Amino acid sequence: DADVTQTPRNRITKTGKRIMLECSQTKGHDRMYWYRQDPGLGLRLIYYSFDVKDINKGEISDGYSVSRQAQAKFSLSLESAIPNQTALYFCATSDFTLTSGTLEGQFFGPGTRLTVL
Amino acid sequence: SQQGEEDPQALSIQEGENATMNCSYKTSINNLQWYRQNSGRGLVHLILIRSNEREKHSGRLRVTLDTSKKSSSLLITASRAADTASYFCATDPHNSGGSNYKLTFGKGTLLTVNP
């Protein structure tokens, strides 16, 4: 099974609808992230969470909200979707091992392609 | 705002040739990471180089880091058709405490390896 899963994989919705994208991970990582990717652009950070009680805004949080239901689950919501939120959305996780001095990269889910009409 | 900028935006080579991609960034970093993305898929972490390292190898990958020039390069040797993908650099800024969060990604280099 994949370490980081996202549902749905594809979603088409209409302007004004509320949408929730879900992310689950089996890596046991504390840190989770939501990014969006637009054609020709790199990834931009929407929100990130260090643990269940710690949620932080990223570069482009306006129009989005998140919920960290458990260590393994991190959801992204669009309260009232608009067309310029059409993008590819990625969830990612990472470990924090400062004491061991070991740093790994972030582990990404397969992405959710969201289209807002 | 973009921290890392990859160069070139696109690169097309023949199988067996080496591919070099560059990344420039603006502010001090704790580490720099390279990721690969196959079309429409999630990113895959390739390699991480810390700010006190100058060169790192992983299989056919070689990464260099020049903090004085705020630049990094990714070399893929003996490229294969399966290396066709977009490659992104991501920087972990110094003010983040080196804890691998709030990565800032560049726009990527699209590498095409022709059989």
Side-chain angles (χ1 to χ4, degrees), chain A residues 42-43, chain B residues 2-7 21-26 29 31-37 43-47 49 63-65 70-74 86-92 103-109:
Chain A
L43 274 70
Chain B
Q2 301 294 136
Q3 160 76 313
E5 291 288 342
E6 292 89 347
D7 171 65
M21 289 158 271
N22 303 297
C23 172
S24 60
Y25 58 92
K26 298 175 183 175
I29 60 172
N31 64 76
L32 184 144
Q33 304 175 27
W34 285 91
Y35 289 79
R36 183 188 74 227
Q37 182 183 34
L43 278 71
V44 174
H45 179 253
L46 296 176
I47 198 165
I49 186 165
V63 169
T64 62
L65 179 64
K70 292 186 169 59
S71 67
S72 173
S73 67
L74 170 67
S86 291
Y87 291 82
F88 295 89
C89 68
T91 51
D92 184 3
L103 291 181
T104 302
F105 287 81
K107 297 180 181 180
T109 292

Side-chain angles (χ1 to χ4, degrees), chain A residues 33 37 42 59 101 104 106, chain B residues 1 35 37 50 100-102 106:
Chain A
Y33 313 80
Q37 184 178 34
E59 181 186 352
E104 295 182 327
Q106 294 185 5
Chain B
S1 60
Y35 289 79
Q37 182 183 34
R50 295 176 183 246
N100 189 23
Y101 68 96
K102 293 190 73 174

Side-chain angles (χ1 to χ4, degrees), chain A residues 18-36:
Chain A
R18 184 178 187 275
I19 297 295
M20 178 180 286
L21 310 182
E22 299 186 345
C23 176
S24 294
Q25 53 115 346
T26 58
K27 299 195 69 68
H29 289 168
D30 287 328
R31 298 176 178 230
M32 298 186 74
Y33 313 80
W34 275 105
Y35 294 92
R36 67 175 279 175

Side-chain angles (χ1 to χ4, degrees), chain A residues 84-99:
Chain A
N84 77 0
Q85 291 178 313
T86 293
L88 192 52
Y89 289 85
F90 289 103
C91 173
T93 73
S94 72
D95 197 10
F96 179 49
T97 55
L98 184 60
T99 53

